[in-house]
Amino acid sequence: MKEQHDNKMEAQETQKKEELYSLAKKRMTDFIKTNYKEIERIDYTNDYEVNPMGGIEINGYLNGNVKKEIWGIYDKGNNKIISFTVDAIEKPECEDKICEY
């Protein structure tokens, strides 16, 4: 019975992480498309990491070019990307501040 309970708990935890990753990808996509020019496509890798504070680190690349890397940390509590690196050109109105997304 303990093994069944442990398996159930592990499955629930995995589902929560996958839901968080899905939300993080959506918010990162919104962030990038709002703040950067010439974004046609965003591809995410599956090597995400959930930190103990509840944020999730995501990685990917732009426009099918693996050299155009993106990286960010999504903070679920604030529903924002709190740290990021995007290999793209910022939109002029978003150069001095992060535009709302």
Side-chain angles (χ1 to χ4, degrees):
M1 284 184 50
K2 179 171 178 4
E3 183 178 343
Q4 287 177 339
H5 174 73
D6 290 347
N7 289 341
K8 182 179 177 183
M9 296 304 289
E10 185 177 326
Q12 288 176 345
E13 189 66 28
T14 299
Q15 182 179 358
K16 284 181 185 178
K17 285 181 181 180
E18 288 173 0
E19 288 171 1
L20 179 60
Y21 182 53
S22 180
L23 179 59
K25 289 191 298 186
K26 181 188 179 323
R27 292 300 286 159
M28 187 71 167
T29 297
D30 293 344
F31 170 78
I32 291 171
K33 287 186 174 182
T34 299
N35 287 278
Y36 294 89
K37 300 193 293 186
E38 301 173 10
I39 305 301
E40 297 170 17
R41 187 172 114 197
I42 301 171
D43 295 292
Y44 294 98
T45 60
N46 285 326
D47 60 339
Y48 64 90
E49 184 176 320
V50 178
N51 68 35
M53 299 298 288
I56 184 166
E57 183 178 323
I58 53 180
N59 300 287
Y61 53 93
L62 302 170
N63 301 330
N65 183 348
V66 295
K67 293 182 180 182
K68 294 280 194 177
E69 294 180 319
I70 59 171
W71 169 87
I73 297 177
Y74 170 70
D75 177 20
K76 183 180 176 186
N78 292 314
N79 195 29
K80 289 188 171 198
I81 303 299
I82 57 171
S83 187
F84 57 90
T85 301
V86 179
D87 188 5
I89 299 170
E90 293 172 317
K91 291 180 179 177
E93 63 271 22
C94 302
E95 288 178 351
D96 295 329
K97 63 175 179 58
I98 296 173
C99 292
E100 285 296 317
Y101 53 99

